[in-house]
Amino acid sequence: MMETLWAGLSHLFMTVFLSSFSSFMVVPAITDVTMSAICPGQDECSLAIYLTGFQQVIIGLGTLVMMPLVGNLSDIYGRKALLTLPMLLGIIPLAILAYDRTTNFFYAYYVLRTLTAMICEGSIQCLSLAYVADNVAENRRALVFGLLSGIGSCAFVCGNLSARFLSTSSTFQVATAVAVLAMLYMRVFLPESFKPENVALRTKLINGEDIAENSCTKKQLFEGLPSLDDMISLLKTSSTFGQAASVAFFNNLGEIGLGASLMYYLKARFHFNKDQFADLMVIAGVAGIASQFLLMPIAVPFIGEEKLLSIGIFFSVAHMFLYSFAWSPWVPYAAAMFSILIVLSQPCLRSITSKQVGPTEQGRAQGCISGICSFANVISPLVFSPLTALFLSENAPFHFPGFSVMCVGFAYMIAFFQSIMIRPAPSVSSCQGSECSSVVVF
């Protein structure tokens, strides 16, 4: 049994690596593609910033609805079944830019990327975390979440290195091919992950048996979206869960704000292009790999997840302030090294969350946190995209190109103060009886 489950985790890691690789390798190129299609020959373009912000808002609204639904459905129908749809849909926008990147094709990509990302954005991460929680004992869960995050960092580095040495057209072609490979690999090799309780409920649902005692579950499954009351009751499961949700919101508010402003800021301030963006991301990725594979396994048992979460977010604050006051092109490269501690926050946050619910509610809990992050995805571009466009234009009220990046740092600061209020709480799930046989203990 243990060998089978470890094989499942290894196939999950490969699936996450291939999927993340295809996504990350196009990130350094997409700013140049957007600027070339909308504002050719310019280093500053407010329209491109607003379009990017609008896209993030729409995606955030979609994922706000979809993430809790995906998490709930995966608790019944399995993680693999729910992984198929986002991985399949994610191929389509990449294929468009692999074919051509002229203005008309860019707008076709823009529309389809917006629509598909409403389902795809965050789904793979949410389901992967739930898959790990299904198969790993909670006392080792933070380490395996860190390993999963490290796999993502490896894909981040490899994808950006590939983008650094490939032409723009080849970048999108390779990304499309790898996305197809990821989906096929997942369908062929990844074993399904079911809890015994969920298998029984799923069988009853499929066979149409009377499940009066689960009428609320059945109603939610076939009506679709979990109710607001269900979300609120989950947030009230424990004070720790509620605090973790608050940290997730403000932390993601900062992350999305950074994505909405940083590349346009660096392009306007220091004339960075695809190659410089790739260099920055490789530095951050290598630092993240070192942290997740070497530092985190040592630090978690001695320091604890709660303190590591606060440390990671504190360095996110410092990271943003250093970017905002960057006085030379080498400063962003130095700031990227802060990732060695920044990347600790997400695995710790997800591990803290997973310990506050039972073993049959992991998808629901991770979907709830992902939904809260999606709400931040809606708010963040509405705030930071106009700020970025204003302070990079000639109409700025005062000369401070990095002002929007500094405001991102304030969002992280709120998350930091929330994180230091989290205290270790007793976990809800426990390994007893027959459940112990379905959990990998390293």
Side-chain angles (χ1 to χ4, degrees):
M1 176 67 72
M2 185 176 293
E3 290 78 5
T4 301
L5 291 172
W6 174 244
L9 288 177
S10 65
H11 290 312
L12 175 71
F13 293 156
M14 180 57 73
T15 299
V16 169
F17 176 84
L18 292 172
S19 176
S20 301
F21 179 87
S22 68
S23 299
F24 287 137
M25 73 181 303
V26 302
V27 174
I30 197 65
T31 300
D32 285 347
V33 170
T34 302
M35 296 287 286
S36 298
I38 299 174
C39 306
Q42 299 182 33
D43 283 336
E44 299 178 21
C45 181
S46 295
L47 177 59
I49 297 172
Y50 283 121
L51 281 176
T52 302
F54 176 76
Q55 183 183 56
Q56 290 175 331
V57 169
I58 299 301
I59 291 172
L61 287 170
T63 54
L64 176 63
V65 174
M66 293 303 300
M67 286 302 99
L69 177 61
V70 167
N72 270 21
L73 293 179
S74 73
D75 281 336
I76 302 300
Y77 295 103
R79 318 303 181 196
K80 180 177 179 178
L82 270 295
L83 271 171
T84 303
L85 182 61
M87 295 187 73
L88 181 63
L89 291 177
I91 297 170
I92 301 171
L94 294 175
I96 292 174
L97 290 188
Y99 181 76
D100 202 344
R101 288 153 305 285
T102 56
T103 301
N104 290 337
F105 280 94
F106 170 79
Y107 280 115
Y109 158 83
Y110 180 87
V111 172
L112 286 173
R113 159 69 180 160
T114 303
L115 295 175
T116 57
M118 294 168 77
I119 298 174
C120 303
E121 194 88 1
S123 294
I124 296 174
Q125 180 196 28
C126 171
L127 294 170
S128 299
L129 291 166
Y131 192 105
V132 169
D134 287 343
N135 296 298
V136 179
E138 65 180 34
N139 64 318
R140 307 292 291 177
R141 207 170 281 164
L143 300 182
V144 183
F145 281 166
L147 181 59
L148 183 65
S149 184
I151 297 294
S153 294
C154 288
F156 185 80
V157 171
C158 294
N160 283 288
L161 277 176
S162 300
R164 182 68 175 82
F165 297 107
L166 290 173
S167 65
T168 301
S169 60
S170 298
T171 296
F172 285 97
Q173 290 163 3
V174 172
T176 303
V178 174
V180 173
L181 178 61
M183 198 269 292
L184 294 176
Y185 183 93
M186 184 273 297
R187 291 301 308 169
V188 172
F189 294 106
L190 184 68
E192 188 53 275
S193 174
F194 278 123
K195 282 288 181 184
E197 299 88 340
N198 288 345
V199 172
L201 178 57
R202 178 175 181 264
T203 302
K204 289 181 179 180
L205 286 169
I206 292 174
N207 294 336
E209 296 180 18
D210 182 21
I211 52 170
E213 69 277 13
N214 293 300
S215 58
C216 291
T217 303
K218 184 175 180 180
K219 182 178 180 181
Q220 285 180 16
L221 285 172
F222 293 103
E223 287 186 0
L225 184 66
S227 69
L228 181 61
D229 288 341
D230 293 327
M231 297 283 289
I232 294 173
S233 67
L234 185 59
L235 290 173
K236 291 181 178 179
T237 299
S238 70
S239 60
T240 300
F241 192 98
Q243 289 168 336
S246 177
V247 171
F249 174 80
F250 286 104
N251 191 62
N252 214 65
L253 192 72
E255 286 185 5
I256 299 302
L258 179 63
S261 58
L262 183 62
M263 287 189 178
Y264 292 109
Y265 162 63
L266 293 177
K267 191 171 185 67
R269 182 82 170 84
F270 301 116
H271 307 290
F272 276 24
N273 59 26
K274 174 179 76 74
D275 293 341
Q276 281 77 51
F277 293 145
D279 291 339
L280 279 177
M281 293 175 185
V282 167
I283 292 170
V286 170
I289 292 171
S291 175
Q292 287 155 339
F293 286 144
L294 301 177
L295 179 60
M296 193 166 184
I298 298 171
V300 168
F302 290 100
I303 300 178
E305 297 156 4
E306 294 78 14
K307 290 182 180 178
L308 277 181
L309 172 63
S310 298
I311 291 171
I313 299 176
F314 174 80
F315 276 89
S316 294
V317 176
H319 183 228
M320 290 303 96
F321 284 119
L322 188 56
Y323 268 131
S324 65
F325 290 101
W327 57 91
S328 176
W330 65 264
V331 176
Y333 293 96
M337 291 298 298
F338 282 36
S339 294
I340 197 167
L341 293 171
I342 291 171
V343 296
L344 298 174
S345 58
Q346 278 296 336
C348 292
L349 179 63
R350 294 293 186 156
S351 179
I352 291 168
T353 300
S354 74
K355 292 179 180 180
Q356 303 307 308
V357 297
T360 62
E361 296 180 309
Q362 292 297 324
R364 182 173 172 234
Q366 299 297 344
C368 178
I369 294 298
S370 295
I372 289 168
C373 291
S374 298
F375 182 57
N377 291 3
V378 176
I379 302 299
S380 187
L382 294 176
V383 175
F384 295 112
S385 292
L387 268 181
T388 303
L390 176 62
F391 280 89
L392 293 181
S393 72
E394 296 178 354
N395 299 320
F398 52 89
H399 181 71
F400 189 177
F403 182 76
S404 62
V405 180
M406 186 179 70
C407 291
V408 171
F410 290 138
Y412 278 122
M413 190 177 294
I414 297 172
F416 170 71
F417 287 123
Q418 290 282 339
S419 71
I420 61 179
M421 297 170 61
I422 296 178
R423 296 291 181 267
S427 63
V428 173
S429 59
S430 61
C431 183
Q432 298 176 348
S434 61
E435 285 188 8
C436 290
S437 63
S438 64
V439 176
V440 177
V441 181
F442 296 99

